[in-house]
Amino acid sequence: SLLVIDDTKRKIQTTGWRSQSERPIYFLEHRDGFYCRWCSVNDGMISLIPDPSSDASVLTFPPDEIDVIGQVIGLAMSLDHEKRRRNRP
């Protein structure tokens, strides 16, 4: 996949969307790796929210442990499902 990141949009938007498809997705860096997820901010903690159809769980971090690289504003990926499955480890 190819992600297009707007690195000027580093502040997590907590309101303003009307549907899941309008909710901003962020590219984030943590010492354990990178994440591409929806985010929420509650009680000073940042929660990384996975797609509901995945088996991933919500991860929560203090703001000083996660860097918002930017908002995902575009993507390109293969639609050949068989090829995508073969490439995964």
Side-chain angles (χ1 to χ4, degrees):
S1 297
L2 170 73
L3 294 177
V4 180
I5 309 294
D6 183 342
D7 63 359
T8 66
K9 296 181 177 181
R10 297 177 53 132
K11 182 172 169 44
I12 295 172
Q13 184 181 342
T14 58
T15 61
W17 58 88
R18 294 173 290 186
S19 67
Q20 194 173 31
S21 64
E22 289 182 2
R23 187 173 185 169
I25 297 171
Y26 296 91
F27 190 71
L28 309 116
E29 183 176 9
H30 184 262
R31 66 177 174 258
D32 294 331
F34 294 93
Y35 297 94
C36 187
R37 294 189 177 185
W38 292 302
C39 297
S40 66
V41 179
N42 295 304
D43 299 324
M45 301 290 280
I46 298 174
S47 294
L48 311 185
I49 305 164
D51 185 286
S53 65
S54 77
D55 291 335
S57 59
V58 173
L59 301 171
T60 302
F61 300 101
D64 62 343
E65 288 187 17
I66 197 95
D67 290 322
V68 180
I69 305 299
Q71 184 178 331
V72 177
I73 59 169
L75 66 101
M77 61 185 236
S78 173
L79 296 177
D80 182 345
H81 296 290
E82 291 302 315
K83 186 174 182 179
R84 284 182 15 207
R85 284 192 192 118
R86 277 182 268 146
N87 290 339
R88 291 185 178 166

